Amino acid sequence: MTPERARAPIHRRIANLTPQLVLVPTVLAAVIYVVMFSLWTIWISLSQSTLLPNMSFSGFDAYLTLWQSKRWTVAFTNLFVFGTLYVVGALMMGTLLAILIDQRVRFEAVWRTIFLYPLAVSFIVTGTVWRWIFHPQTGVELALKDLGWISAKFDWISDRDMALYVVVFTAIWHASGFAMALILAGLRSVDSDLVKAAQIDGASMPRIYRRVILPTIWPIFVAVAVVLLQFAIKTYDLVVALTQGGPGVATTVPAIVVYDLMFQRGQIAEGAAAAVMILLGLVCVLIPYAVWSSWRQRKEGADHG
Amino acid sequence: MADTIQRQEFDPLATGGANRRIRARVMIYGVLTLFAAIYLLPALIIFLNTLRPLDEIVRQGFISWPGTMSLSHWGEAWSSFCIGGTCEGVSRYFINSLLMTVPATALSTALGLVNGYVLSKWRFRGDAWVFGVITLGVFLPAQMTLLPWAFVLGKLGLSNTIAGLVLVHTVQGVSFTTLFCRNYFLNVPDDLIKAARIDGAGFWRIFRRIILPLSPPILIVTVIWQFTGIWNEFLFGTVFTSGANQPITSAIVAFSGSGTGERHYNVEAASVIMAALPPLFIYLVGGKYFVRGLTQGAVK
């Protein structure tokens, strides 16, 4: 019936190969992009490159220099502080908002829209706007002085010890809606019989959340934490727009060090080494998560089957 | 005894319970309103400052009720504001961003759709490996690809061009769209495909007649995610383009980062809003799908 049937076998064979042929461009791109680019950067990190790529091998020199530089140790420590506070803060904020919205509030969609919109706004816009608000010459401090509080002081953004917390606050503002949306979906998936049973036992609502609902959705908290950790490790735009890594190096993060070494200071090998460290950071988060979730899926499959 | 008291708390007809419930309601709405204010205030502050004269902002700062208002700064921001030597306003960078985002979104979505169809419905030897390599692209940090991309774009003659950014975002985006579409098509029953094959339908006919009609929901999700993600991207734009060829995110940083000269806060504020508008618009229109993409992307 169809014209394909009448054609010669060679056409048929090509037709049978169509699915694989369709994938060729993507596979090529992915192999180049994922495999070759990664190997390339790893190789550069092991080379003697400075301003230009120089492929002669020099071992782990770049890594040693990197780990001995104060900037990198500061950036690394900042990432730990920032990552921890950001993930914990966004999860707590997200849980609180999700529970509030879960109380059969009116105009639920409006509340959700308000809390989630920061996620659609770029880090650049978020950072720029909050910098104006936090900056003593344009923001809160000046507003307080205008209200008559002459000695008002709020200069965290230009204070070496406090600037990192401005980054944490802004990042939580940006991401807590994301946490809220996922946790809310989780709350809605909890078996209502479970909640009813707890109510009949006389448990109060806060207690039901603490003891029954939140513990059942803990895998969602893990998933959200993993995604947020990924964001934290890759964080770049927000810090550039908010503090440019300063004052001094007070808010420098690894991704900023990579850019600086590669494109400002012409230390390509060291920059590549810093990039590889970021990759390793992600691997440390993602591989355990992948192993854990496949283990859980298998277990679930076994439980149901 | 204790039992009956506790039961009363959950009896809708008990008056004590009603009082308690009203107090709880007031608390809930109070806290929600407070947080809503914290989330909305930055947007409101920036918007009001686009309308104020510059001397007023310099004197009173951003956080203050406007005295006089005018829309003129929006026009200036769009068409005559000077950024890094060129005085064409943000319109130029806005258009750059559009020229980058629209093709990259369309290409990565189209490729992802076909890839997802193959990887979910046409099993072949090694398909898991293929899928694995493509998926790894989602997680690879951009920093690992900066130097190789710079080299490749240079070789292709695409350095400092929007076309170069389209290429980068398409290649990077295909990983993501393939993952999304493949997971979505897994839910399309295989029997449907089998029946069509028995009827003599080939690869493309099944795609056109069965897969495409079923894809609008996932298409909307991937288009929204690709568009907002590519529009908001900053690192690639900054590293691979400069001056008049930059996308809008890089231009915003270029003018707000340069510390010399008088700052035109009101015009800058209008530019910042323009940079935020397209993704915000999409979010407000397609909010439902935005959330769907979010949940699929995070949990899978």
Side-chain angles (χ1 to χ4, degrees):
Chain A
M1 275 290 279
T2 46
E4 283 100 325
R5 296 228 171 142
R7 276 187 199 149
I10 180 76
H11 287 102
R12 180 82 68 80
R13 231 178 298 157
I14 289 174
N16 286 341
L17 275 176
T18 313
Q20 282 98 317
L21 288 176
V22 164
L23 280 180
V24 166
T26 307
V27 171
L28 251 154
V31 167
I32 292 175
Y33 172 70
V34 176
V35 181
M36 287 177 58
F37 278 19
S38 300
L39 291 177
W40 191 339
T41 302
I42 291 170
W43 178 250
I44 286 180
S45 77
L46 298 170
S47 73
Q48 297 178 350
S49 309
T50 47
L51 199 59
L52 290 168
N54 168 354
M55 290 313 194
S56 44
F57 186 73
S58 82
F60 290 92
D61 289 0
Y63 291 87
L64 281 175
T65 328
L66 184 72
W67 279 99
Q68 280 162 359
S69 73
K70 188 170 172 277
R71 245 164 86 76
W72 178 257
T73 26
V74 171
F76 197 74
T77 325
N78 280 347
L79 179 59
F80 265 94
V81 176
F82 166 74
T84 312
L85 293 176
Y86 163 64
V87 172
V88 172
L91 277 178
M92 281 175 30
M93 198 55 208
T95 311
L96 176 64
L97 292 174
I99 290 179
L100 285 171
I101 290 180
D102 199 32
Q103 305 309 306
R104 294 200 198 87
V105 292
R106 275 162 178 265
F107 312 115
E108 186 192 310
V110 176
W111 298 110
R112 265 190 310 168
T113 307
I114 292 173
F115 297 133
L116 197 57
Y117 92 92
L119 199 65
V121 179
S122 63
F123 282 124
I124 294 304
V125 168
T126 306
T128 309
V129 171
W130 281 103
R131 188 187 56 217
W132 282 330
I133 294 174
F134 276 114
H135 201 284
Q137 276 164 20
T138 51
V140 176
E141 186 178 311
L142 191 62
L144 292 176
K145 282 181 176 154
D146 269 3
L147 288 174
W149 185 3
I150 302 299
S151 62
K153 204 161 162 59
F154 184 67
D155 59 353
W156 285 17
I157 201 167
S158 44
D159 181 334
R160 276 169 186 279
D161 297 325
M162 301 307 284
L164 191 62
Y165 301 108
V166 170
V167 181
V168 170
F169 171 88
T170 313
I172 291 176
W173 180 84
H174 190 265
S176 45
F178 164 77
M180 172 211 71
L182 291 183
I183 294 168
L184 187 60
L187 294 180
R188 297 279 154 86
S189 72
V190 173
D191 190 357
S192 60
D193 289 345
L194 218 64
V195 181
K196 267 185 210 135
Q199 274 182 339
I200 289 166
D201 284 347
S204 64
M205 248 359 229
R207 208 182 148 82
I208 292 176
Y209 272 106
R210 216 173 47 236
R211 292 290 170 83
V212 181
I213 301 179
L214 295 181
T216 40
I217 61 163
W218 68 272
I220 291 192
F221 288 96
V222 179
V224 177
V226 166
V227 176
L228 292 176
L229 266 178
Q230 251 196 92
F231 284 162
I233 293 170
K234 292 177 179 172
T235 295
Y236 176 71
D237 318 15
L238 181 69
V239 182
V240 168
L242 195 60
T243 62
Q244 292 183 307
V249 290
T251 54
T252 301
V253 286
I256 289 191
V257 178
V258 172
Y259 177 83
D260 246 43
L261 287 168
M262 280 183 183
F263 302 103
Q264 307 288 114
R265 306 190 176 200
Q267 294 294 339
I268 288 184
E270 214 182 315
V276 173
M277 295 315 302
I278 291 180
L279 180 68
L280 280 181
L282 284 173
V283 165
C284 288
V285 172
L286 289 172
I287 298 237
Y289 178 67
V291 170
W292 174 77
S293 48
S294 74
W295 171 78
R296 235 171 55 86
Q297 260 172 12
R298 228 175 308 143
K299 192 168 148 257
E300 236 168 58
D303 285 350
H304 291 304
Chain B
M1 185 61 204
D3 212 12
T4 49
I5 291 170
Q6 277 167 339
R7 288 266 169 86
Q8 265 179 354
E9 286 179 2
F10 291 95
D11 180 359
L13 298 173
T15 48
N19 268 335
R20 244 183 105 104
R21 206 157 305 136
I22 289 169
R23 240 180 297 147
R25 291 268 104 180
V26 171
M27 268 272 289
I28 289 167
Y29 283 104
V31 179
L32 276 176
T33 311
L34 177 76
F35 282 124
I38 296 174
Y39 281 80
L40 286 175
L41 265 180
L44 182 71
I45 289 171
I46 293 312
F47 176 72
L48 287 177
N49 278 284
T50 63
L51 308 174
R52 297 167 68 195
L54 187 62
D55 59 325
E56 196 184 305
I57 301 180
V58 171
R59 212 173 49 242
Q60 299 174 324
F62 273 77
I63 310 171
S64 137
W65 195 253
T68 44
M69 299 202 234
S70 120
L71 272 171
S72 66
H73 312 115
W74 281 80
E76 206 182 316
W78 179 251
S79 56
S80 62
F81 182 45
C82 298
I83 300 167
T86 37
C87 295
E88 298 172 71
V90 285
S91 57
R92 180 176 187 104
Y93 306 95
F94 191 93
I95 291 165
N96 283 346
S97 274
L98 271 184
L99 290 176
M100 165 182 82
T101 309
V102 173
T105 301
L107 283 171
S108 59
T109 303
L111 278 168
L113 198 65
V114 183
N115 293 340
Y117 161 53
V118 175
L119 287 169
S120 60
K121 295 294 165 231
W122 297 80
R123 287 300 165 85
F124 55 88
R125 203 193 288 206
D127 56 355
W129 283 97
V130 168
F131 181 62
V133 171
I134 295 175
T135 313
L136 279 181
V138 175
F139 304 104
L140 192 67
Q143 285 79 15
M144 285 296 288
T145 67
L146 287 177
L147 292 174
W149 267 131
F151 177 81
V152 169
L153 290 179
K155 282 279 173 220
L156 294 174
L158 292 174
S159 299
N160 197 16
T161 62
I162 290 298
L165 288 182
V166 171
L167 175 71
V168 173
H169 283 302
T170 305
V171 169
Q172 211 212 8
V174 161
S175 295
F176 185 80
T177 54
T178 302
L179 178 68
F180 259 43
C181 293
R182 181 236 180 213
N183 288 346
Y184 176 80
F185 291 139
L186 279 182
N187 294 325
V188 174
D190 284 339
D191 290 344
L192 218 60
I193 312 292
K194 249 182 235 155
R197 284 177 82 175
I198 290 166
D199 288 347
F203 179 84
W204 291 111
R205 185 187 290 250
I206 294 175
F207 180 69
R208 269 200 320 276
R209 294 289 169 81
I210 297 176
I211 296 294
L212 266 188
L214 289 171
S215 356
I218 193 66
L219 267 183
I220 297 172
V221 169
T222 46
V223 165
I224 287 180
W225 275 89
Q226 287 303 95
F227 189 96
T228 46
I230 297 170
W231 181 279
N232 286 340
E233 206 277 336
F234 168 73
L235 180 63
F236 289 143
T238 302
V239 172
F240 303 134
T241 59
S242 61
N245 294 326
Q246 287 186 323
I248 197 160
T249 43
S250 311
I252 295 273
V253 171
F255 72 63
S256 68
S258 61
T260 50
E262 195 186 33
R263 295 290 299 273
H264 293 267
Y265 288 117
N266 43 15
V267 181
E268 287 181 18
S271 315
V272 165
I273 292 184
M274 288 171 187
L277 271 184
L280 263 184
F281 175 76
I282 284 189
Y283 165 66
L284 289 175
V285 172
K288 195 174 79 180
Y289 297 96
F290 192 81
V291 176
R292 191 170 300 167
L294 196 86
T295 34
Q296 284 173 339
V299 178
K300 293 271 167 174

